Amino acid sequence: MFPILDTQIYGHRLVYLDNAATTQKPQQVIDTLTDYYRTLNSNIHRGAHRLAAEATERYEAVRRQVQSFINARSHREIVFTRGTTESINLVASSLGKLWNDQQLTHSHIHTFTHSPEVIVSGMEHHSNIVPWQLAGATLRVIPFSDEGVLDLDAYRALFNGNTRLVACTHVSNTLGTVNPVEEITRIAHEHGVPVLIDGAQAVAHMAVDVQAIGCDFYCFSGHKMYAPMGVGVMYGREEILDTLPPYQGGGEMIKDVTFERTTYNELPFRFEAGTPSVGDVLGLGSAIDFMLNYSCSPKLGELSAQPTEECVKTGLPAIQAHEESLMRYALEKLSTVPGIRFIGTAPRKAGVISFLLGDAHPYDVGTLLDKLGIAVRTGHHCTQPIMDRYGIPGTVRASFACYTTQADIDALHDALLRIAPMLQ
Ligand code: PMP
């Protein structure tokens, strides 16, 4: 089902535990991509010919599929981007222009200006930090405990008259913590402040309902949810998107262009300038189909293409159940490795185990694991503030997907036992 998982690395079976960086692709996603380029490739929306019409239809069908996948109210709220990073940059750039305009108007009246403030958590990926700095915002940071749990009392105290947005990750890519995004959103809304949730590490691991969360923006990447690289989603509530200036200018996002003045297209096209990555969007649709049809077999780690009677659950709840039991198994098994120290021990975790092995540098651990066919990630995982918080240079990170098995965890455990003496 996942052809790459049959790969041998230095004569060992590939044990792929770098799923938080990117997941592998099921055959059906690969087939969708190759079929698209073999039979359908054409530019969408503009063409008068048959291929363009069909490609457009299928592209727009995926938009509706994504709408239903995250339970958005309207397909107009689904904007295709290159990934989470571009989705957040889109929102930051457009909101930044608004803030700038408001500030100019304000300074006219008051003769002084306050820099807009954005509340972020202390466990954000750099892509949910730097875009806000580029937008000219001052960041206020929600602290977290040693276990990796956000301090919501401290969060409540961060709001003031300059707070313009709360931007928080749903699941930490380094600590694995699942944050209480519903509560975070409710508190922000009590202050009249909109909320952006970075869902990059959530959408492949649990059912996400943007209406239940109540957030104003929700961003994610296709490649972390079994889809091709090069496609992602920016969900934005229609009422807010309607008020935002465009992000990029170009084809498709306009209604009328003259040299004097341009009027913009309606949602969501206003935010999709230029030719999109059509094949990748179709691949995203295929990846969503894959996840919705996933079924949890009673034997941990076995995949079955079609739901069977003994299966307790299908779709995202099944993936979540599988990964949660795998997490319990892994924490128990790995805690028997001498000298292991887990970074991030929140009660609600999804898919990620970060650790250190004695005094060994994470990079050395990762390099030795690689020689045994085990792919993990080492370093700061684009979350340098988390490393500063713990006073460490980085971690070794093992991260799961729906195809991760107990055998993969056993292989990691055995390899750590084997390499630990080499790193003394
Ligand atoms: N946010 C989080 C929590 C992530 O884990 C990542 C990817 N590591 C990103 C944002 C950025 O995603 P991408 O590189 O796909 O744009």
PDB file of all heavy atoms in Angstrom, residues 5-16 372-375 403 405-412:
ATOM      1  N   LEU A   5       7.830   1.851   1.758  1.00  0.00           N
ATOM      2  CA  LEU A   5       8.121   1.132   3.009  1.00  0.00           C
ATOM      3  C   LEU A   5       8.811  -0.213   2.745  1.00  0.00           C
ATOM      4  O   LEU A   5       9.293  -0.857   3.675  1.00  0.00           O
ATOM      5  CB  LEU A   5       6.838   0.941   3.835  1.00  0.00           C
ATOM      6  CG  LEU A   5       6.181   2.247   4.318  1.00  0.00           C
ATOM      7  CD1 LEU A   5       4.912   1.960   5.115  1.00  0.00           C
ATOM      8  CD2 LEU A   5       7.148   3.081   5.170  1.00  0.00           C
ATOM      9  N   ASP A   6       8.855  -0.639   1.483  1.00  0.00           N
ATOM     10  CA  ASP A   6       9.585  -1.879   1.149  1.00  0.00           C
ATOM     11  C   ASP A   6      11.072  -1.619   0.909  1.00  0.00           C
ATOM     12  O   ASP A   6      11.836  -2.550   0.629  1.00  0.00           O
ATOM     13  CB  ASP A   6       8.992  -2.516  -0.117  1.00  0.00           C
ATOM     14  CG  ASP A   6       7.560  -2.967   0.125  1.00  0.00           C
ATOM     15  OD1 ASP A   6       7.246  -3.292   1.292  1.00  0.00           O
ATOM     16  OD2 ASP A   6       6.760  -2.967  -0.832  1.00  0.00           O
ATOM     17  N   THR A   7      11.475  -0.360   1.001  1.00  0.00           N
ATOM     18  CA  THR A   7      12.871  -0.008   0.734  1.00  0.00           C
ATOM     19  C   THR A   7      13.805  -0.613   1.788  1.00  0.00           C
ATOM     20  O   THR A   7      13.436  -0.722   2.962  1.00  0.00           O
ATOM     21  CB  THR A   7      13.028   1.536   0.786  1.00  0.00           C
ATOM     22  OG1 THR A   7      12.051   2.090  -0.078  1.00  0.00           O
ATOM     23  CG2 THR A   7      14.407   2.004   0.397  1.00  0.00           C
ATOM     24  N   GLN A   8      14.994  -0.998   1.347  1.00  0.00           N
ATOM     25  CA  GLN A   8      16.041  -1.452   2.279  1.00  0.00           C
ATOM     26  C   GLN A   8      17.030  -0.298   2.471  1.00  0.00           C
ATOM     27  O   GLN A   8      17.411   0.362   1.499  1.00  0.00           O
ATOM     28  CB  GLN A   8      16.789  -2.641   1.684  1.00  0.00           C
ATOM     29  CG  GLN A   8      15.939  -3.890   1.502  1.00  0.00           C
ATOM     30  CD  GLN A   8      15.820  -4.698   2.786  1.00  0.00           C
ATOM     31  OE1 GLN A   8      16.833  -4.985   3.421  1.00  0.00           O
ATOM     32  NE2 GLN A   8      14.607  -5.057   3.167  1.00  0.00           N
ATOM     33  N   ILE A   9      17.438  -0.076   3.727  1.00  0.00           N
ATOM     34  CA  ILE A   9      18.427   0.972   4.017  1.00  0.00           C
ATOM     35  C   ILE A   9      19.641   0.281   4.635  1.00  0.00           C
ATOM     36  O   ILE A   9      19.519  -0.317   5.714  1.00  0.00           O
ATOM     37  CB  ILE A   9      17.855   2.010   5.014  1.00  0.00           C
ATOM     38  CG1 ILE A   9      16.556   2.631   4.483  1.00  0.00           C
ATOM     39  CG2 ILE A   9      18.892   3.085   5.375  1.00  0.00           C
ATOM     40  CD1 ILE A   9      16.711   3.630   3.363  1.00  0.00           C
ATOM     41  N   TYR A  10      20.794   0.368   3.980  1.00  0.00           N
ATOM     42  CA  TYR A  10      22.009  -0.323   4.436  1.00  0.00           C
ATOM     43  C   TYR A  10      21.705  -1.784   4.788  1.00  0.00           C
ATOM     44  O   TYR A  10      22.161  -2.306   5.809  1.00  0.00           O
ATOM     45  CB  TYR A  10      22.606   0.361   5.686  1.00  0.00           C
ATOM     46  CG  TYR A  10      22.893   1.833   5.523  1.00  0.00           C
ATOM     47  CD1 TYR A  10      22.241   2.771   6.315  1.00  0.00           C
ATOM     48  CD2 TYR A  10      23.826   2.290   4.586  1.00  0.00           C
ATOM     49  CE1 TYR A  10      22.486   4.134   6.169  1.00  0.00           C
ATOM     50  CE2 TYR A  10      24.078   3.643   4.440  1.00  0.00           C
ATOM     51  CZ  TYR A  10      23.412   4.558   5.228  1.00  0.00           C
ATOM     52  OH  TYR A  10      23.658   5.890   5.082  1.00  0.00           O
ATOM     53  N   GLY A  11      20.869  -2.417   3.979  1.00  0.00           N
ATOM     54  CA  GLY A  11      20.567  -3.834   4.200  1.00  0.00           C
ATOM     55  C   GLY A  11      19.525  -4.095   5.277  1.00  0.00           C
ATOM     56  O   GLY A  11      19.223  -5.241   5.592  1.00  0.00           O
ATOM     57  N   HIS A  12      18.961  -3.029   5.846  1.00  0.00           N
ATOM     58  CA  HIS A  12      17.916  -3.207   6.867  1.00  0.00           C
ATOM     59  C   HIS A  12      16.566  -2.789   6.292  1.00  0.00           C
ATOM     60  O   HIS A  12      16.502  -1.926   5.411  1.00  0.00           O
ATOM     61  CB  HIS A  12      18.187  -2.328   8.096  1.00  0.00           C
ATOM     62  CG  HIS A  12      19.481  -2.630   8.776  1.00  0.00           C
ATOM     63  ND1 HIS A  12      19.617  -3.654   9.695  1.00  0.00           N
ATOM     64  CD2 HIS A  12      20.696  -2.053   8.673  1.00  0.00           C
ATOM     65  CE1 HIS A  12      20.864  -3.685  10.124  1.00  0.00           C
ATOM     66  NE2 HIS A  12      21.542  -2.727   9.519  1.00  0.00           N
ATOM     67  N   ARG A  13      15.494  -3.337   6.867  1.00  0.00           N
ATOM     68  CA  ARG A  13      14.152  -2.872   6.515  1.00  0.00           C
ATOM     69  C   ARG A  13      14.034  -1.404   6.925  1.00  0.00           C
ATOM     70  O   ARG A  13      14.473  -1.031   8.016  1.00  0.00           O
ATOM     71  CB  ARG A  13      13.139  -3.719   7.309  1.00  0.00           C
ATOM     72  CG  ARG A  13      11.707  -3.247   7.241  1.00  0.00           C
ATOM     73  CD  ARG A  13      10.784  -4.168   8.042  1.00  0.00           C
ATOM     74  NE  ARG A  13      10.792  -3.898   9.481  1.00  0.00           N
ATOM     75  CZ  ARG A  13      10.009  -2.999  10.089  1.00  0.00           C
ATOM     76  NH1 ARG A  13       9.186  -2.264   9.372  1.00  0.00           N
ATOM     77  NH2 ARG A  13      10.069  -2.833  11.395  1.00  0.00           N
ATOM     78  N   LEU A  14      13.476  -0.558   6.056  1.00  0.00           N
ATOM     79  CA  LEU A  14      13.275   0.844   6.423  1.00  0.00           C
ATOM     80  C   LEU A  14      12.251   0.937   7.556  1.00  0.00           C
ATOM     81  O   LEU A  14      11.133   0.426   7.448  1.00  0.00           O
ATOM     82  CB  LEU A  14      12.770   1.653   5.218  1.00  0.00           C
ATOM     83  CG  LEU A  14      12.217   3.051   5.527  1.00  0.00           C
ATOM     84  CD1 LEU A  14      13.306   3.987   6.072  1.00  0.00           C
ATOM     85  CD2 LEU A  14      11.578   3.677   4.279  1.00  0.00           C
ATOM     86  N   VAL A  15      12.668   1.568   8.656  1.00  0.00           N
ATOM     87  CA  VAL A  15      11.732   1.864   9.751  1.00  0.00           C
ATOM     88  C   VAL A  15      11.558   3.373   9.728  1.00  0.00           C
ATOM     89  O   VAL A  15      12.440   4.114  10.169  1.00  0.00           O
ATOM     90  CB  VAL A  15      12.297   1.373  11.101  1.00  0.00           C
ATOM     91  CG1 VAL A  15      11.396   1.804  12.250  1.00  0.00           C
ATOM     92  CG2 VAL A  15      12.456  -0.142  11.081  1.00  0.00           C
ATOM     93  N   TYR A  16      10.449   3.810   9.176  1.00  0.00           N
ATOM     94  CA  TYR A  16      10.280   5.238   8.914  1.00  0.00           C
ATOM     95  C   TYR A  16       9.539   5.898  10.079  1.00  0.00           C
ATOM     96  O   TYR A  16       8.321   5.710  10.243  1.00  0.00           O
ATOM     97  CB  TYR A  16       9.531   5.444   7.593  1.00  0.00           C
ATOM     98  CG  TYR A  16       9.450   6.903   7.218  1.00  0.00           C
ATOM     99  CD1 TYR A  16      10.555   7.577   6.697  1.00  0.00           C
ATOM    100  CD2 TYR A  16       8.280   7.623   7.427  1.00  0.00           C
ATOM    101  CE1 TYR A  16      10.493   8.930   6.377  1.00  0.00           C
ATOM    102  CE2 TYR A  16       8.204   8.979   7.112  1.00  0.00           C
ATOM    103  CZ  TYR A  16       9.316   9.614   6.586  1.00  0.00           C
ATOM    104  OH  TYR A  16       9.264  10.946   6.282  1.00  0.00           O
ATOM    105  N   LEU A 372      21.127   1.729  11.018  1.00  0.00           N
ATOM    106  CA  LEU A 372      20.353   0.516  11.275  1.00  0.00           C
ATOM    107  C   LEU A 372      19.001   0.559  10.558  1.00  0.00           C
ATOM    108  O   LEU A 372      18.091  -0.217  10.863  1.00  0.00           O
ATOM    109  CB  LEU A 372      20.153   0.342  12.792  1.00  0.00           C
ATOM    110  CG  LEU A 372      21.454   0.168  13.585  1.00  0.00           C
ATOM    111  CD1 LEU A 372      21.212   0.279  15.085  1.00  0.00           C
ATOM    112  CD2 LEU A 372      22.110  -1.175  13.250  1.00  0.00           C
ATOM    113  N   GLY A 373      18.859   1.521   9.649  1.00  0.00           N
ATOM    114  CA  GLY A 373      17.637   1.586   8.828  1.00  0.00           C
ATOM    115  C   GLY A 373      16.508   2.370   9.455  1.00  0.00           C
ATOM    116  O   GLY A 373      15.381   2.356   8.946  1.00  0.00           O
ATOM    117  N   ILE A 374      16.807   3.054  10.584  1.00  0.00           N
ATOM    118  CA  ILE A 374      15.726   3.749  11.293  1.00  0.00           C
ATOM    119  C   ILE A 374      15.796   5.248  11.018  1.00  0.00           C
ATOM    120  O   ILE A 374      16.796   5.900  11.335  1.00  0.00           O
ATOM    121  CB  ILE A 374      15.818   3.466  12.806  1.00  0.00           C
ATOM    122  CG1 ILE A 374      15.684   1.951  13.027  1.00  0.00           C
ATOM    123  CG2 ILE A 374      14.745   4.234  13.575  1.00  0.00           C
ATOM    124  CD1 ILE A 374      15.903   1.508  14.440  1.00  0.00           C
ATOM    125  N   ALA A 375      14.732   5.777  10.431  1.00  0.00           N
ATOM    126  CA  ALA A 375      14.710   7.194  10.061  1.00  0.00           C
ATOM    127  C   ALA A 375      13.995   7.988  11.146  1.00  0.00           C
ATOM    128  O   ALA A 375      12.791   7.818  11.363  1.00  0.00           O
ATOM    129  CB  ALA A 375      13.987   7.371   8.728  1.00  0.00           C
ATOM    130  N   TYR A 403       0.592   3.863   9.391  1.00  0.00           N
ATOM    131  CA  TYR A 403       1.239   2.598   9.017  1.00  0.00           C
ATOM    132  C   TYR A 403       2.348   2.206   9.985  1.00  0.00           C
ATOM    133  O   TYR A 403       3.025   1.192   9.789  1.00  0.00           O
ATOM    134  CB  TYR A 403       1.807   2.680   7.588  1.00  0.00           C
ATOM    135  CG  TYR A 403       2.554   3.968   7.290  1.00  0.00           C
ATOM    136  CD1 TYR A 403       3.804   4.234   7.839  1.00  0.00           C
ATOM    137  CD2 TYR A 403       1.968   4.941   6.477  1.00  0.00           C
ATOM    138  CE1 TYR A 403       4.468   5.415   7.576  1.00  0.00           C
ATOM    139  CE2 TYR A 403       2.626   6.141   6.207  1.00  0.00           C
ATOM    140  CZ  TYR A 403       3.878   6.365   6.756  1.00  0.00           C
ATOM    141  OH  TYR A 403       4.522   7.548   6.516  1.00  0.00           O
ATOM    142  N   THR A 405       4.059   0.541  13.094  1.00  0.00           N
ATOM    143  CA  THR A 405       3.670  -0.699  13.780  1.00  0.00           C
ATOM    144  C   THR A 405       4.456  -0.868  15.091  1.00  0.00           C
ATOM    145  O   THR A 405       5.470  -0.192  15.306  1.00  0.00           O
ATOM    146  CB  THR A 405       3.979  -1.929  12.903  1.00  0.00           C
ATOM    147  OG1 THR A 405       5.400  -1.946  12.668  1.00  0.00           O
ATOM    148  CG2 THR A 405       3.244  -1.872  11.582  1.00  0.00           C
ATOM    149  N   GLN A 406       3.983  -1.815  15.894  1.00  0.00           N
ATOM    150  CA  GLN A 406       4.733  -2.158  17.106  1.00  0.00           C
ATOM    151  C   GLN A 406       6.130  -2.652  16.741  1.00  0.00           C
ATOM    152  O   GLN A 406       7.097  -2.387  17.458  1.00  0.00           O
ATOM    153  CB  GLN A 406       4.000  -3.251  17.887  1.00  0.00           C
ATOM    154  CG  GLN A 406       2.811  -2.723  18.664  1.00  0.00           C
ATOM    155  CD  GLN A 406       2.264  -3.740  19.653  1.00  0.00           C
ATOM    156  OE1 GLN A 406       2.696  -4.898  19.676  1.00  0.00           O
ATOM    157  NE2 GLN A 406       1.319  -3.322  20.467  1.00  0.00           N
ATOM    158  N   ALA A 407       6.234  -3.327  15.603  1.00  0.00           N
ATOM    159  CA  ALA A 407       7.545  -3.831  15.162  1.00  0.00           C
ATOM    160  C   ALA A 407       8.501  -2.659  14.921  1.00  0.00           C
ATOM    161  O   ALA A 407       9.708  -2.773  15.184  1.00  0.00           O
ATOM    162  CB  ALA A 407       7.382  -4.669  13.902  1.00  0.00           C
ATOM    163  N   ASP A 408       7.973  -1.532  14.435  1.00  0.00           N
ATOM    164  CA  ASP A 408       8.824  -0.350  14.226  1.00  0.00           C
ATOM    165  C   ASP A 408       9.339   0.175  15.568  1.00  0.00           C
ATOM    166  O   ASP A 408      10.503   0.564  15.707  1.00  0.00           O
ATOM    167  CB  ASP A 408       8.029   0.778  13.533  1.00  0.00           C
ATOM    168  CG  ASP A 408       7.622   0.414  12.113  1.00  0.00           C
ATOM    169  OD1 ASP A 408       8.271  -0.458  11.511  1.00  0.00           O
ATOM    170  OD2 ASP A 408       6.648   1.011  11.611  1.00  0.00           O
ATOM    171  N   ILE A 409       8.455   0.186  16.566  1.00  0.00           N
ATOM    172  CA  ILE A 409       8.854   0.669  17.896  1.00  0.00           C
ATOM    173  C   ILE A 409       9.887  -0.292  18.502  1.00  0.00           C
ATOM    174  O   ILE A 409      10.878   0.135  19.103  1.00  0.00           O
ATOM    175  CB  ILE A 409       7.620   0.776  18.839  1.00  0.00           C
ATOM    176  CG1 ILE A 409       6.543   1.658  18.212  1.00  0.00           C
ATOM    177  CG2 ILE A 409       8.023   1.256  20.233  1.00  0.00           C
ATOM    178  CD1 ILE A 409       6.949   3.070  17.926  1.00  0.00           C
ATOM    179  N   ASP A 410       9.638  -1.599  18.314  1.00  0.00           N
ATOM    180  CA  ASP A 410      10.590  -2.594  18.821  1.00  0.00           C
ATOM    181  C   ASP A 410      11.959  -2.385  18.177  1.00  0.00           C
ATOM    182  O   ASP A 410      12.993  -2.462  18.853  1.00  0.00           O
ATOM    183  CB  ASP A 410      10.094  -4.020  18.518  1.00  0.00           C
ATOM    184  CG  ASP A 410       8.840  -4.367  19.317  1.00  0.00           C
ATOM    185  OD1 ASP A 410       8.530  -3.629  20.288  1.00  0.00           O
ATOM    186  OD2 ASP A 410       8.158  -5.348  18.961  1.00  0.00           O
ATOM    187  N   ALA A 411      11.953  -2.104  16.884  1.00  0.00           N
ATOM    188  CA  ALA A 411      13.222  -1.896  16.179  1.00  0.00           C
ATOM    189  C   ALA A 411      13.945  -0.676  16.738  1.00  0.00           C
ATOM    190  O   ALA A 411      15.171  -0.707  16.946  1.00  0.00           O
ATOM    191  CB  ALA A 411      12.968  -1.725  14.680  1.00  0.00           C
ATOM    192  N   LEU A 412      13.202   0.383  17.020  1.00  0.00           N
ATOM    193  CA  LEU A 412      13.818   1.589  17.597  1.00  0.00           C
ATOM    194  C   LEU A 412      14.389   1.273  18.975  1.00  0.00           C
ATOM    195  O   LEU A 412      15.527   1.641  19.301  1.00  0.00           O
ATOM    196  CB  LEU A 412      12.773   2.716  17.688  1.00  0.00           C
ATOM    197  CG  LEU A 412      13.215   3.991  18.401  1.00  0.00           C
ATOM    198  CD1 LEU A 412      14.354   4.682  17.645  1.00  0.00           C
ATOM    199  CD2 LEU A 412      12.045   4.984  18.552  1.00  0.00           C
TER     200      LEU A 412
END
